[in-house]
Amino acid sequence: MRHMHFVKSAIGGIAIASSAVMVTAFSSYTPSKRTMKSSPPFIIARSTKPSGSKTSARQTQLELVPAGVKPIAAFFSSPLMISTDVSSYFGLFKSSGNVPFVSSLALNAILFSSLRPKLNTMLTPEGFAHSLALGTMLWTTLGWRGWTVCVLYLFLGQLVTKVGFEEKDALGIAEGRGGRRGPENVWGSALTGTLCALAAARSLTMGGRPFLGLASDVWILGYVASLATKLADTFASEIGKAYGKTTFLITTLKPVPRGTEGAVSLEGTLASVVGGLLLAAYAYFAVGLVPSVAGVSVATFAAFFGTTAESLIGATLQEKEGLKWMTNEVVNFFNTLIGAGTAMLLGKLVLGM
């Protein structure tokens, strides 16, 4: 009961934190009374390519812009482009900046509905609903690129969870519910990344100026590193439990059974590096969220460092006497927080971001 009470409190905290960031984003815009009384609800702006354009056909675009709203000040408000270019419809596939919230919600609802049979094998009903909320927030703040990074994490994490599942289940060390994730798993893994995504979006809505002293690129690196850290942890845990020949407690180096909190193995350690590298490399080579190969190295190192720290926390603090609130989900949050923080610090000090 205490655990469930904590989970509900944590979910409430997520909503409060997210709302606070969104309110902060909107705070820079205050419409005047004159604007509210006299301006039409929307302004339609027409732009046509000049006749000297290299393209043979003249193209016309219409921008649907809320009256009196400055684009930089509106967190979720982005011009809806009516164009012959399909990729610009509703701003859904912008390469940078924020995507309209309603458009993001609609697209995620369609995608989640079409993939529901597959997602039901990966998520509980509550986990499905919370993942939909997460997906909407990520597409709104970081666009399709940030969204696909999280989706890749989910699918790779689920894939490695199934490795040797029958044997792990027989030993009593497999993930509960057949490996399906609930709300506590969703936010334990993605809360840090979500906050980084919101901060990056806030920086972008400020015209690229730093938010809380950090540029959007630094926040985005933190986002990627947080998910890379969680994937590294999942790879280490699941591969270690399935194939670890010798597992020992990280604090004492004494042999312990597979699945013990804080236990590490050579196989699991190597797998953690692979997991972190996979996600960081995708973020750079496939979608360009990470700015350089050096950024991939930073995110991969941060993921390994965060995973090692998670083993230490698991061995010394997790569910110990007087610390029952230190559940696996809370440890996951600290795991991703350490990974993101390490990457952002190195991004500033080493990469000069």
Side-chain angles (χ1 to χ4, degrees):
M1 291 298 292
R2 290 182 179 179
H3 172 69
M4 291 304 298
H5 176 71
F6 168 77
V7 171
K8 292 178 181 178
S9 299
I11 293 171
I14 292 162
I16 293 172
S18 301
S19 299
V21 175
M22 294 177 188
V23 169
T24 301
F26 277 108
S27 62
S28 60
Y29 169 63
T30 304
S32 64
K33 292 182 179 180
R34 180 179 178 183
T35 300
M36 295 174 66
K37 289 181 179 180
S38 60
S39 298
F42 293 95
I43 298 173
I44 298 179
R46 179 186 298 272
S47 62
T48 305
K49 283 190 176 182
S51 56
S53 171
K54 293 182 180 180
T55 56
S56 58
R58 295 168 63 86
Q59 297 181 4
T60 300
Q61 291 183 330
L62 299 179
E63 294 185 7
L64 191 62
V65 185
V69 175
K70 298 177 182 179
I72 290 178
F75 190 72
F76 294 127
S77 179
S78 179
L80 301 184
M81 305 300 296
I82 303 174
S83 168
T84 54
D85 181 6
V86 175
S87 68
S88 68
Y89 282 167
F90 307 109
L92 279 172
F93 300 100
K94 294 167 63 178
S95 60
S96 63
N98 308 132
V99 175
F101 174 77
V102 174
S103 300
S104 298
L105 176 60
L107 180 63
N108 273 272
I110 293 171
L111 290 172
F112 271 68
S113 296
S114 61
L115 295 172
R116 183 149 197 165
K118 176 63 177 177
L119 291 175
N120 282 342
T121 66
M122 304 166 65
L123 300 163
T124 66
E126 296 81 5
F128 180 91
H130 284 256
S131 294
L132 174 59
L134 171 64
T136 300
M137 281 191 281
L138 293 181
W139 200 303
T140 300
T141 52
L142 296 180
W144 65 270
R145 298 186 300 168
W147 186 88
T148 59
V149 171
C150 190
V151 169
L152 181 63
Y153 153 73
L154 175 64
F155 277 91
L156 289 179
Q158 184 68 13
L159 184 66
V160 77
T161 298
K162 295 298 183 182
V163 172
F165 189 85
E166 291 184 0
E167 181 182 353
K168 289 184 287 189
D169 190 42
L171 293 172
I173 57 176
E175 286 289 325
R177 298 178 301 210
R180 294 194 303 163
R181 269 59 172 178
E184 69 281 7
N185 304 118
V186 171
W187 295 115
S189 302
L191 177 56
T192 297
T194 302
L195 294 176
C196 286
L198 287 166
R202 175 56 176 158
S203 175
L204 291 171
T205 61
M206 293 166 60
R209 296 193 304 276
F211 176 63
L212 298 180
L214 298 173
S216 60
D217 284 350
V218 179
W219 288 111
I220 291 173
L221 180 62
Y223 167 76
V224 172
S226 73
L227 293 178
T229 301
K230 188 62 194 76
L231 187 62
D233 173 55
T234 303
F235 268 58
S237 176
E238 298 300 333
I239 296 300
K241 288 189 288 187
Y243 300 115
K245 292 183 174 60
T246 302
T247 57
F248 53 90
L249 199 63
I250 192 170
T251 52
T252 64
L253 302 184
K254 292 182 178 179
V256 292
R258 285 183 288 173
T260 302
E261 292 297 342
V264 296
S265 65
L266 175 62
E267 296 81 1
T269 300
L270 294 176
S272 75
V273 176
V274 173
L277 178 60
L278 280 175
L279 208 68
Y282 172 82
Y284 171 66
F285 290 104
V287 295
L289 274 182
V290 174
S292 63
V293 174
V296 175
S297 300
V298 164
T300 303
F301 172 79
F304 176 76
F305 181 77
T307 299
T308 303
E310 190 269 349
S311 296
L312 285 169
I313 295 172
T316 58
L317 300 176
Q318 187 169 347
E319 297 184 347
K320 302 297 183 183
E321 188 65 33
L323 293 173
K324 295 300 183 181
W325 57 270
M326 186 67 77
T327 62
N328 187 60
E329 289 72 36
V330 176
V331 173
N332 285 338
F333 169 69
F334 284 118
N335 173 34
T336 58
L337 190 65
I338 292 169
T342 301
M344 293 165 72
L345 180 63
L346 293 177
K348 288 284 289 184
L349 298 180
V350 178
L351 303 183
M353 298 175 70

